[in-house]
Amino acid sequence: MQVVNGKFIVIHSRQVAQSIMDAGQVLIKTEPSRHRLGKLVFVFERLQLINEILAKSKRLQQIR
C-alpha cells in the first residue's frame, strides 16, 4: 500500500521499501503507522524510479 503526498510517498510494506532502497533510493524517514499499531511506514522522495519499482512489485504480486 502507498500514499502519495506531493513530494513524498509513504510505503506501508517493508518488502517494497527494501526493494526501493536496494535500487538506490534514500529512505527519508520511518514513522509509526497511524492506522496499524506496532507497524512502521517508510517515507521516500517521490521519484520516477519509485513508480517503476512499484509497478514491478504489483506485477509480481499478480503472478503469485
Side-chain angles (χ1 to χ4, degrees):
M1 179 179 208
Q2 65 193 17
V3 178
V4 177
N5 183 6
K7 293 175 62 176
F8 301 101
I9 186 165
V10 177
I11 304 295
H12 292 260
S13 167
R14 186 185 61 78
Q15 184 177 4
V16 173
Q18 186 64 52
S19 297
I20 293 169
M21 289 184 285
D22 289 347
Q25 293 301 305
V26 177
L27 177 68
I28 302 292
K29 64 180 174 179
T30 59
E31 294 183 349
S33 175
R34 296 178 187 165
H35 304 286
R36 297 178 70 192
L37 294 175
K39 298 291 182 177
L40 291 175
V41 296
F42 305 88
V43 181
F44 294 92
E45 184 177 1
R46 186 175 175 191
L47 301 171
Q48 181 61 32
L49 178 59
I50 291 176
N51 292 336
E52 294 170 10
I53 293 168
L54 293 174
K56 287 179 185 177
S57 173
K58 288 178 185 177
R59 276 189 244 126
L60 289 176
Q61 288 175 1
Q62 291 173 354
I63 293 171
R64 291 181 188 172

